[in-house]
Amino acid sequence: MKVRIPSPATMIAAIALLFALSGTAVAGVLVTSAQIQNNTVSSLDVRNNNLKSIDVRNNTLTTLDVRNGTLRKVDFAPGVLGNGDGAAGPAGPAGQQGPQGPQGVQGAPGLSGLEIVSAETASNSDSPKQIEASCPAGKQVVGGGAHIFNAATDAALDESYPANATTWRGTAWEVVATAANWKLRAYAICATIPA
C-alpha cells in the first residue's frame, strides 16, 4: 500500500490552523485585567451582537454594551463611573397652570354682629355700687369690663366678670367713705355666636 505525503501547502495550512486555535485558547486563559492597560478597552473589544452600540467615532463603551442587570447600585455612587457632583443645570421653563381643584367644604360660620353695650349706675356717694350690661336678644357676651367715673376719693373696682352668657357685671366700693358723687359703668362686648 502506497502512503501519500501531503503537499507543502497543506502542511503549512494545518500548522497555521493549529497555531490559530491554540493561540485563542491560550489568550483566553492567560490575559487578565491586571495585564490590560487602563483606558485601552473600547466598544470594538467588547462582544456584542448589537453593532449599533459601537461608537466608531471615539471607540468608547456605551450603555448598550452593558448587559441589563449587571451594574449594581454602588456603581453609581458619587465619584464612580464619572457620576460626580456636577454643577446644577439651568431651571426649566414653568409648566402650564393645572385645572382648578374642587371647591372645599364650607367652614363653620364665625362671630357676627359685634357690638358694645354699656350700662351705668347713678352718680352719688352710695357704696358699694353694682351694675350689669346685658346683650340684646340673640347675642352673647364675648368680653367686657367696668370703669369708675368721678371718684373724688379712693373708690376701687372690686369685680368685673361675665355674670352669665349674656351679661357682664361690675362692682365697686369706697375704700374711704366720702360724700363725693361717683358712678360705675359696665361694658359688655356682644356678638352673634353660631350654634
Side-chain angles (χ1 to χ4, degrees):
M1 182 166 140
K2 187 173 180 183
V3 178
R4 190 169 182 183
I5 299 173
S7 68
T10 302
M11 291 182 72
I12 292 174
I15 293 171
L17 179 61
L18 180 64
F19 276 118
L21 292 175
S22 66
T24 303
V26 171
V29 173
L30 298 180
V31 176
T32 65
S33 61
Q35 296 168 318
I36 299 174
Q37 186 178 0
N38 289 342
N39 300 320
T40 60
V41 177
S42 68
S43 288
L44 295 175
D45 300 313
V46 178
R47 179 171 26 173
N48 192 330
N49 292 331
N50 185 357
L51 296 180
K52 292 180 182 178
S53 71
I54 298 174
D55 186 349
V56 295
R57 292 170 299 168
N58 55 20
N59 293 330
T60 59
L61 294 176
T62 67
T63 56
L64 296 177
D65 296 313
V66 180
R67 188 177 66 200
N68 288 341
T70 59
L71 293 179
R72 302 160 300 161
K73 192 173 188 179
V74 69
D75 295 325
F76 296 96
V80 177
L81 297 180
N83 288 333
D85 295 329
Q96 294 180 350
Q97 183 175 352
Q100 181 176 351
Q103 182 174 352
V105 178
Q106 176 69 39
L111 299 177
S112 62
L114 190 68
E115 66 174 304
I116 297 176
V117 177
S118 65
E120 62 183 41
T121 65
S123 179
N124 54 37
S125 62
D126 293 347
S127 180
K129 289 183 169 56
Q130 185 177 79
I131 190 68
E132 293 179 347
S134 297
C135 295
K139 293 188 177 182
Q140 297 182 34
V141 168
V142 294
H147 184 70
I148 298 172
F149 291 88
N150 304 329
T153 58
D154 292 332
L157 185 63
D158 184 39
E159 297 175 324
S160 178
Y161 65 96
N164 54 49
T166 60
T167 303
W168 194 273
R169 178 179 296 160
T171 304
W173 52 279
E174 295 176 358
V175 177
V176 177
T178 178
N181 294 336
W182 60 281
K183 64 181 179 180
L184 175 66
R185 183 180 295 168
Y187 303 89
I189 303 172
C190 307
T192 302
I193 299 176

